[in-house]
Amino acid sequence: MKKHLIFLMMLASISNSYAQKQGTSAMGSQEFQGMAVYETKTSAPDMKSRFSGNREITPEMQKSIEERMKKMLEKTFILNFDKASSIYKEDEKLDTPGQNNGGFRMMSSMMGGGGTYYKNVKEKTFAVDKEFMGKEFLIKDTLPKLQWKLEGETKKIGDYTCYKATAVKKVVQSDFRNFRQKKQEETKDKKEEKTEEKKTNFMDDFEMPKEVNVIAWYTPEIPVNQGPEGYWGLPGLILEVSDDKTVILCSKIVLNSKEKTSIKAPTKGKVVTQKEYDEIVTTKMEEMKEQFRRGGGRPGIRIGN
């Protein structure tokens, strides 16, 4: 009886070891692939103060602007990933009639939407296609490496145990989700300027920070060096990440589905670096702001050749 019991224990131990090896082998295999759905939400700037006293903005226009702003700041993305690479793309909904215009698409892109974000964590490179003012760009550059600090806190996200990590991230100057209102004392002097100039140039009350604090939650239970957007570099899939304005939270995970997704970098658009694209966007926005300030009407949208 005793020998029989020892034999069963040895058999169970061997079976358990084999199962663990099989699981590790599956994660390490080139065939391994996963899919994660992320819900993103960005805090909207206070626009009511900008509408107050402006007779050009009717209540109907104000409501329409607020609805469009909400749509641009609340999005759903899908991340398809393997051990080395991933693609992160917005799960685009059908636009309601009248909203699918160039200006709305441009602002949506500047608020983190549109295009395909490809990153290869093995080669430490990324590529993302963006449309800005009717022109297609292909941003290709080196993945920014955050200096993650691993914390001791844990929490559950779905069925996964996640660990906290923090970092300071340099802000991408063409990502307008990071726009914030200047402090009251910074805009006090400007309030004494011409009322008409204030109405047409509300962007003077906003600024772009140089860096933001980032909090991420990753799970070693899915040991891939991946995450949403440009986030990576932790010992497990990042299921939640937040900075000063935006929260990205994973709502669904599927591993090793029978249906495989082609994980390839986008190829269309004028190739530029991240710095070059930021300069194009910020320069054009400054031109638009100056033209509106001078009462020049709708600015031109020609960019390059």
Side-chain angles (χ1 to χ4, degrees):
M1 180 67 182
K2 185 177 180 180
K3 291 182 179 180
H4 184 64
L5 181 60
I6 293 174
F7 174 77
L8 289 177
M9 291 174 64
M10 289 176 63
L11 183 61
S13 177
I14 293 171
S15 298
N16 184 55
S17 176
Y18 177 77
Q20 288 180 347
K21 288 181 179 179
Q22 287 293 97
T24 303
S25 175
M27 291 295 290
S29 170
Q30 293 297 321
E31 295 298 320
F32 167 76
Q33 193 175 108
M35 184 276 290
V37 179
Y38 292 87
E39 310 294 336
T40 74
K41 186 173 183 180
T42 300
S43 301
D46 180 17
M47 302 300 292
K48 291 184 179 180
S49 60
R50 300 306 314 159
F51 297 142
S52 179
N54 192 335
R55 296 178 181 178
E56 298 176 3
I57 305 295
T58 65
E60 290 76 18
M61 291 172 64
Q62 179 178 336
K63 183 178 180 181
S64 176
I65 292 172
E66 289 175 345
E67 288 177 351
R68 290 192 176 195
M69 183 70 72
K70 181 180 180 182
K71 182 177 181 180
M72 285 189 292
L73 297 178
E74 295 182 4
K75 301 174 181 291
T76 300
F77 289 83
I78 296 176
L79 176 74
N80 288 284
F81 59 90
D82 55 30
K83 296 286 286 186
S85 58
S86 65
I87 50 173
Y88 184 73
K89 191 171 184 178
E90 184 177 356
D91 184 21
E92 296 178 342
K93 307 292 190 302
L94 290 175
D95 292 326
T96 55
Q99 285 192 335
N100 191 23
N101 56 70
F104 183 73
R105 287 198 304 272
M106 181 190 77
M107 286 304 298
S108 180
S109 176
M110 293 166 70
M111 292 296 180
T116 298
Y117 195 118
Y118 169 88
K119 60 179 180 286
N120 189 310
V121 297
K122 186 176 181 180
E123 299 176 356
K124 297 180 175 55
T125 59
F126 77 90
V128 56
D129 52 344
K130 288 282 187 180
E131 180 183 335
F132 181 64
M133 287 187 163
K135 187 174 181 67
E136 291 186 359
F137 292 91
L138 180 61
I139 307 169
K140 300 180 74 173
D141 216 322
T142 303
L143 273 173
K145 184 175 177 62
L146 297 182
Q147 299 299 317
W148 291 108
K149 179 182 178 183
L150 304 185
E151 310 285 356
E153 295 180 50
T154 65
K155 72 173 182 178
K156 280 278 191 178
I157 298 179
D159 296 328
Y160 297 92
T161 299
C162 295
Y163 294 81
K164 183 179 180 180
T166 58
V168 176
K169 183 182 76 167
K170 184 179 179 181
V171 168
V172 175
Q173 295 300 300
S174 57
D175 187 350
F176 280 64
R177 290 175 298 176
N178 294 295
F179 249 37
R180 63 187 66 181
Q181 272 188 300
K182 294 179 180 178
K183 295 179 181 178
Q184 190 171 1
E185 56 265 26
E186 295 179 38
T187 58
K188 185 177 180 181
D189 294 338
K190 288 186 176 291
K191 289 184 178 180
E192 298 175 1
E193 295 177 0
K194 294 179 182 180
T195 303
E196 287 301 314
E197 183 176 334
K198 286 287 291 180
K199 285 182 181 179
T200 58
N201 195 21
F202 71 92
M203 295 298 286
D204 282 341
D205 283 350
F206 295 84
E207 64 180 353
M208 184 79 80
K210 297 295 183 182
E211 56 186 28
V212 291
N213 297 312
V214 175
I215 298 175
W217 295 89
Y218 66 96
T219 177
E221 296 171 32
I222 307 177
V224 294
N225 199 357
Q226 296 284 358
E229 292 190 10
Y231 292 106
W232 68 292
L234 286 169
L237 180 65
I238 299 172
L239 298 191
E240 181 180 341
V241 62
S242 60
D243 58 27
D244 295 345
K245 299 279 290 183
T246 302
V247 177
I248 306 174
L249 178 61
C250 181
S251 60
K252 180 181 179 181
I253 295 175
V254 177
L255 299 177
N256 287 324
S257 171
K258 291 182 179 179
E259 297 182 6
K260 301 297 181 181
T261 300
S262 177
I263 300 178
K264 294 182 179 179
T267 57
K268 294 182 179 180
K270 179 183 178 181
V271 177
V272 293
T273 64
Q274 184 68 64
K275 182 180 179 181
E276 289 171 339
Y277 181 74
D278 291 348
E279 289 174 349
I280 290 169
V281 173
T282 53
T283 298
K284 182 54 62 175
M285 294 304 291
E286 284 298 321
E287 290 177 2
M288 292 171 64
K289 186 168 71 172
E290 184 62 25
Q291 195 160 348
F292 277 123
R293 178 185 284 119
R294 294 177 179 178
R298 184 173 183 264
I301 61 175
R302 186 172 180 269
I303 304 175
N305 296 321

